[in-house]
Amino acid sequence: MLRNFLSSVFRQQKRGPYDHLSQKEIKLQIAELEAVSRRLKKQNEVRKTMKTIRHESKLNFNQQQEQRIAMQVAYLGWNYYGFTSSNTENEDKLPTIEGHLMKALLQAKLIQDPTMCGFSLSGRTDRRVSGVGQVVGLNVRCGSQERKKGQLPYLRILNSILPPDIRVLAWTHVSPHFDARFDCLSRTYHYYFPTQDLCIESMKKAATYLLGDHDFRNFCKFNPSKNLSHYRRTILSVDVSVFSQGGFARLEIKGTAFLWHQVRYIASILLLVGQRLEKPEIVQWLLDVDKVPGKPEYPLASGLPLLLYDCEYNQNGFDWHREPTGRTKEHFQLLWNEQMTKALLYQSFVNASTNFGSYNIHDDGENRMSKVKRIQLGGSKEIWTTQYKPLMDRKRDEPYMLKQQKYNALHNKTQKELIKESSRC
């Protein structure tokens, strides 16, 4: 009997704290411990990054070596007023991607002065436009020779400071004379749009007329301050493809260089063709600058669906450094999950609105809304009109050369007046 009592006591003492849990409860405990472990690991990485930044901030910048690098930057543009920062004083009210990037570089002590780091970029993107293939070149501080390979963890440092919708995907050493704009061989843009009520075949046919070297003055916004000598650009490839699911399509256009708003004006024309408001041959007509020396008045497509997808370089000597752990991929996956959740909620609203049916608006027995035409311009941008006027019949701008001459004359007159005024003082 004593033996049985001692045996039962021994068995009770050997039981662990999880022996009373079921298999399902044990799995939940393991999942919670793994989540805590990931959170602690992330906090440790942030502490290491901030420790690195604090350590570097104590160094004398003038005693540090510099190197020229290129960085691939990805950003969601709908919260920003373009990539390029024209006025640092307005960054709080009119934030830009470049403004946030420079702020992070300064905070990390990787540069001393944004105007003295030799900054260049492959392509300017406007307000609300996103990029995943944007490349910038600049001079940054190296790590001390005591560090392994003398390199700083640029990706970890910058991505811990940048806002969630901007990330540096990779960096590489480049030659001291590297220029992200002039060394770029080609740029590829994507433009996404819903396929509802669109004739995709007509859009494809119209897009083929863009291939090759053309004068694109009727597919851009005129900027007299640039004083361009010509408006010829070369389109290397163009394609309109439909996704298998989701009811969306993509315009992919690749060229050596692009004019201001060129891709968005091209998208606008192709959408007009897809809505059967214009024929595909309208592209040929607009490219014939002898017949159409002045651009007809037509709206600019939304910037929201536009993406700078890729910038091509001569990759000899490029050795891109990326994060091996896939941390950036997981970061963007979380953002994607959030946006997809919102998309599903919007779909629920659409379905609920459809169930209510439609209301008829009568005016003397007629539905006025039936006479209104909705014109899609990408994203959530659209215009309503009771009568569509073909581009050939619309008012046209003055020829660009004449507008340039007027601008130069006015500019020269203003300069002379300023010189005359200053001489009086």
Side-chain angles (χ1 to χ4, degrees):
M1 185 172 182
L2 177 62
R3 181 182 299 176
N4 293 337
F5 172 75
L6 293 174
S7 177
S8 64
V9 171
F10 179 74
R11 285 197 300 271
Q12 289 178 4
Q13 288 178 343
K14 291 198 67 177
R15 292 188 65 182
Y18 302 105
D19 290 351
H20 67 283
L21 299 178
S22 65
Q23 186 176 6
K24 183 178 180 180
E25 290 173 329
I26 291 174
K27 289 181 178 180
L28 289 174
Q29 288 281 345
I30 293 174
E32 290 178 2
L33 290 172
E34 289 177 344
V36 171
S37 175
R38 287 194 298 269
R39 185 165 61 251
L40 291 174
K41 184 179 179 181
K42 186 175 181 180
Q43 291 175 353
N44 187 42
E45 290 175 351
V46 172
R47 281 195 295 269
K48 286 182 179 179
T49 300
M50 298 311 297
K51 183 178 179 181
T52 301
I53 293 173
R54 286 193 296 270
H55 171 73
E56 300 298 336
S57 64
K58 298 177 183 179
L59 300 177
N60 187 338
F61 197 96
N62 295 326
Q63 295 179 356
Q64 303 301 306
Q65 294 182 346
E66 282 190 345
Q67 62 180 352
R68 188 154 185 82
I69 67 169
M71 295 192 302
Q72 184 183 355
V73 184
Y75 51 93
L76 299 167
W78 48 73
N79 292 324
Y80 299 99
Y81 287 79
F83 188 95
T84 306
S85 176
S86 58
N87 190 345
T88 54
E89 296 180 357
N90 289 337
E91 268 300 317
D92 292 335
K93 296 181 179 179
L94 306 174
T96 63
I97 292 92
E98 181 184 352
H100 278 287
L101 187 60
M102 289 300 171
K103 184 178 179 181
L105 289 164
L106 287 169
Q107 183 177 339
K109 303 296 182 182
L110 295 178
I111 63 171
Q112 191 174 21
D113 186 346
T115 63
M116 300 295 291
C117 65
F119 185 79
S120 63
L121 69 157
S122 57
R124 292 183 59 170
T125 53
D126 298 308
R127 180 183 177 184
R128 305 186 76 193
V129 177
S130 300
V132 72
Q134 177 74 270
V135 174
V136 301
L138 72 163
N139 300 321
V140 296
R141 183 174 54 81
C142 307
S144 61
Q145 294 301 322
E146 289 78 11
R147 289 182 178 275
K148 183 180 180 181
K149 297 183 179 180
Q151 300 300 335
L152 291 171
Y154 296 126
L155 299 181
R156 179 159 57 86
I157 292 174
L158 291 174
N159 288 336
S160 66
I161 303 173
L162 288 167
D165 47 7
I166 304 176
R167 283 293 181 269
V168 179
L169 300 182
W171 73 273
T172 180
H173 294 283
V174 291
S175 71
H177 306 292
F178 173 80
D179 189 290
R181 176 187 175 190
F182 295 108
D183 290 342
C184 186
L185 303 177
S186 68
R187 289 100 172 154
T188 302
Y189 285 89
H190 286 174
Y191 195 91
Y192 302 92
F193 55 92
T195 58
Q196 183 180 6
D197 300 326
L198 292 180
C199 180
I200 301 299
E201 292 303 318
S202 295
M203 296 179 71
K204 288 184 176 182
K205 182 179 179 181
T208 60
Y209 298 132
L210 297 166
L211 286 170
D213 181 78
H214 301 285
D215 189 317
F216 283 96
R217 66 181 64 188
N218 292 325
F219 289 89
C220 70
K221 185 174 181 178
F222 177 65
N223 185 0
S225 63
K226 295 294 184 181
N227 201 15
L228 297 178
S229 59
H230 66 88
Y231 293 85
R232 301 197 72 85
R233 296 293 186 270
T234 302
I235 302 300
L236 302 173
S237 64
V238 61
D239 180 56
V240 179
S241 57
V242 179
F243 295 113
S244 58
Q245 295 179 345
F248 271 78
R250 180 187 67 200
L251 165 66
E252 181 179 88
I253 183 166
K254 178 180 180 180
T256 54
F258 291 89
L259 298 163
W260 190 17
H261 288 335
Q262 181 180 343
V263 178
R264 290 171 64 184
Y265 274 117
I266 287 174
S268 179
I269 294 297
L270 294 183
L271 287 171
L272 292 176
V273 171
Q275 294 170 85
R276 301 171 181 84
L277 298 172
E278 298 287 347
K279 294 182 179 180
E281 288 72 25
I282 192 65
V283 174
Q284 289 179 309
W285 182 73
L286 289 170
L287 290 173
D288 191 342
V289 295
D290 293 329
K291 292 182 179 179
V292 193
K295 176 172 164 283
E297 295 181 351
Y298 65 94
L300 177 66
S302 170
L304 177 63
L306 183 59
L307 174 73
L308 176 56
Y309 179 72
D310 184 51
C311 294
E312 181 186 9
Y313 292 88
N314 185 347
Q315 297 289 337
N316 290 336
F318 279 23
D319 183 18
W320 290 103
H321 299 261
R322 302 181 186 275
E323 288 184 298
T325 59
R327 189 182 301 112
T328 303
K329 179 181 177 181
E330 294 177 0
H331 172 77
F332 280 119
Q333 183 67 47
L334 290 175
L335 295 182
W336 183 87
N337 292 342
E338 180 183 3
Q339 295 300 323
M340 282 301 298
T341 302
K342 292 181 179 179
L344 292 173
L345 291 172
Y346 281 127
Q347 185 62 53
S348 299
F349 279 68
V350 171
N351 296 338
S353 302
T354 305
N355 293 335
F356 285 115
S358 58
Y359 294 94
N360 293 325
I361 302 176
H362 295 279
D363 181 17
D364 295 333
E366 292 184 352
N367 188 343
R368 289 184 299 175
M369 293 303 294
S370 63
K371 297 181 180 180
V372 178
K373 179 70 176 179
R374 185 183 69 169
I375 301 176
Q376 302 176 36
L377 294 170
S380 58
K381 186 177 180 180
E382 58 185 25
I383 58 176
W384 295 79
T385 180
T386 56
Q387 185 176 3
Y388 179 79
K389 192 173 186 178
L391 264 61
M392 288 185 177
D393 301 332
R394 296 188 186 186
K395 180 182 177 181
R396 303 177 195 175
D397 290 340
E398 292 180 325
Y400 282 175
M401 296 306 295
L402 179 59
K403 294 172 70 174
Q404 187 69 60
Q405 291 173 3
K406 288 183 176 181
Y407 172 83
N408 292 340
L410 180 62
H411 182 71
N412 293 335
K413 181 180 178 180
T414 305
Q415 289 292 101
K416 290 178 181 178
E417 290 177 350
L418 289 174
I419 295 173
K420 187 177 180 179
E421 193 70 26
S422 62
S423 62
R424 291 177 181 176
C425 300

